[in-house]
Amino acid sequence: MRKNRGGVCVAGLLAVVVFGSAVPAAAVAVPAGKTAAAAAVVDQAASDRAWVRHLAGKHPLWTVRTDAWVALMSDAGNEAIAAFLASGLADAIARASETGAMNRDFVVRVLDAYPAKFAPEVHAAAERALAGTDSERDLFVREGFAAAEQRDRRAREADGSQARALVEADRKFVRNLSLADPGAQVRAAAAWALRPGSGDEDLVEFFSYGWAHAALLDLEVSRLRGVEEQARWRVAARRLAADADAAERAALATSGEAAREARAAAVKAWRAAADGTAAPKASLVEAQQVAQWEAENWHAIAAAAASASGPNWQAMAGPAARTEAEWAADRQQASEQLQFWDSLLRQALEGESRMSV
């Protein structure tokens, strides 16, 4: 039975109520006139482009998505991709801290998490802000969002149907989410909905949009984590492969007593290239497992929402299915990146073996 990182069984929790093209895993064939290292560089160019395409579509920050698309469409081709990974990605992330970019990302997140059916005032205000100017988005973040939330809250309280639909099993479910959900933001949102002094309207808000908003934050945190490290590792892998290729070429061109030292240098270079795959692989294995846990968790939540009656669970049906799909996509993306690093590792080990003979 699968457990989350805190050691709590996800299936037990749920029982309370109810990134781009894959890189071939096989070693890349070496065209005539090329060493294995040259083939590895060509292979990495394709994988880098696929990963940047993934960032262009899935990265939470608007500045990163925009700059990734610019790199993908550049006439410079693979050079533009390499430059984006070497420095452009970090620059885009740094620019995201600017007020205008932060406000835009916030508005987009609100639109994703606050459905028009259950938070019509917030959703409409966010749509206007997204279509508006920087100053209008800033006003929405500072004042408009909270005011729209209050208008929606008053309308729900006046209607009363969502509060009347709450049952004790709902409270128990949310209580268990606060203790055992795989996502830290969901746990925090669930705990806030049940904080001392909270009422039915707090639970209604959690079901209406708080849960979906927290789930989106957990997804964003996961997608932000390690992206810059992966970029640095990819830049380093390109350099290590080029160094090993040069060392192998030098060894093959050397004869006599010097050949022994040249081959030893090539072995060392290929070993460095192999060792360079360890950290990115470990990071991706962890990311893949987290995405697997989250996808399974949200699959069960989506099933629970689909089978439940009442307006509160109905509010989660769509977001749960979408969140499951996003985590499944992240799991697949991590798997594809792992194939790339496995391919580089095999090529490095093959190069080390060739030079050790």
Side-chain angles (χ1 to χ4, degrees):
M1 190 169 287
R2 192 175 300 277
K3 296 183 178 181
N4 66 13
R5 281 174 288 179
V8 180
C9 174
V10 174
L13 160 67
L14 295 167
V16 171
V17 172
V18 186
F19 261 124
S21 303
V23 177
V28 177
V30 183
K34 289 188 177 181
T35 64
V41 171
V42 172
D43 181 54
Q44 178 165 353
S47 178
D48 286 350
R49 178 168 287 275
W51 189 56
V52 172
R53 189 178 299 113
H54 168 76
L55 295 179
K58 295 293 188 180
H59 198 279
L61 300 179
W62 172 68
T63 52
V64 171
R65 295 194 303 272
T66 300
D67 287 11
W69 278 118
V70 170
L72 287 166
M73 295 185 293
S74 171
D75 292 338
N78 290 336
E79 291 182 7
I81 298 297
F84 174 75
L85 294 179
S87 59
L89 174 61
D91 289 345
I93 291 174
R95 289 203 326 277
S97 62
E98 298 173 0
T99 300
M102 289 179 64
N103 287 346
R104 190 185 189 284
D105 287 333
F106 177 79
V107 174
V108 170
R109 187 185 303 117
V110 167
L111 278 173
D112 288 341
Y114 286 68
K117 182 176 180 179
F118 295 97
E121 291 289 338
V122 170
H123 194 88
E127 285 185 324
R128 290 193 297 271
L130 186 62
T133 64
D134 284 345
S135 61
E136 288 172 324
R137 282 186 287 274
D138 183 63
L139 182 62
F140 173 79
V141 172
R142 289 187 293 105
E143 300 176 9
F145 171 63
E149 270 198 321
Q150 285 302 312
R151 291 196 298 273
D152 281 328
R153 185 181 181 109
R154 287 194 295 269
R156 282 192 304 271
E157 289 175 343
D159 176 73
S161 61
Q162 287 179 261
R164 289 192 299 272
L166 290 170
V167 295
E168 183 55 33
D170 295 336
R171 301 177 193 280
K172 189 174 182 181
F173 188 91
V174 175
R175 189 174 300 112
N176 277 274
L177 286 177
S178 72
L179 299 173
D181 190 87
Q185 296 297 325
V186 169
R187 292 197 301 272
W192 176 255
L194 294 171
R195 69 193 183 282
S198 64
D200 288 349
E201 183 57 30
D202 295 288
L203 270 180
V204 168
E205 286 187 354
F206 177 77
F207 278 99
S208 294
Y209 49 76
W211 196 356
H213 189 215
L216 183 59
L217 289 175
D218 281 324
L219 184 66
E220 289 189 1
V221 167
S222 177
R223 287 176 172 174
L224 289 168
R225 184 184 296 123
V227 168
E228 288 182 280
E229 275 189 329
Q230 282 290 333
R232 287 195 295 270
W233 285 326
R234 283 174 173 268
V235 171
R238 185 182 295 275
R239 175 181 53 78
L240 290 170
D243 290 348
D245 177 54
E248 181 171 344
R249 289 177 186 275
L252 293 174
T254 304
S255 59
E257 186 62 27
R260 187 188 308 275
E261 292 185 4
R263 293 183 75 89
V267 167
K268 184 177 180 180
W270 279 119
R271 170 45 50 188
D275 291 345
T277 66
K281 285 186 63 178
S283 176
L284 286 166
V285 166
E286 180 182 4
Q288 186 181 43
Q289 191 161 43
V290 168
Q292 175 73 22
W293 289 332
E294 288 278 15
E296 291 176 353
N297 180 49
W298 283 99
H299 177 79
I301 292 172
S307 63
S309 60
N312 293 307
W313 277 96
Q314 182 186 357
M316 273 307 297
R322 289 194 298 272
T323 305
E324 178 197 353
E326 291 295 331
W327 281 110
D330 283 11
R331 178 186 58 203
Q332 178 62 27
Q333 175 62 22
S335 176
E336 291 171 4
Q337 288 197 66
L338 275 171
Q339 290 180 45
F340 161 69
W341 289 105
D342 283 339
S343 178
L344 282 191
L345 174 60
R346 280 192 294 272
Q347 291 171 25
L349 294 177
E350 288 168 3
E352 183 182 22
S353 178
R354 282 194 306 274
M355 293 291 97
S356 298
V357 177

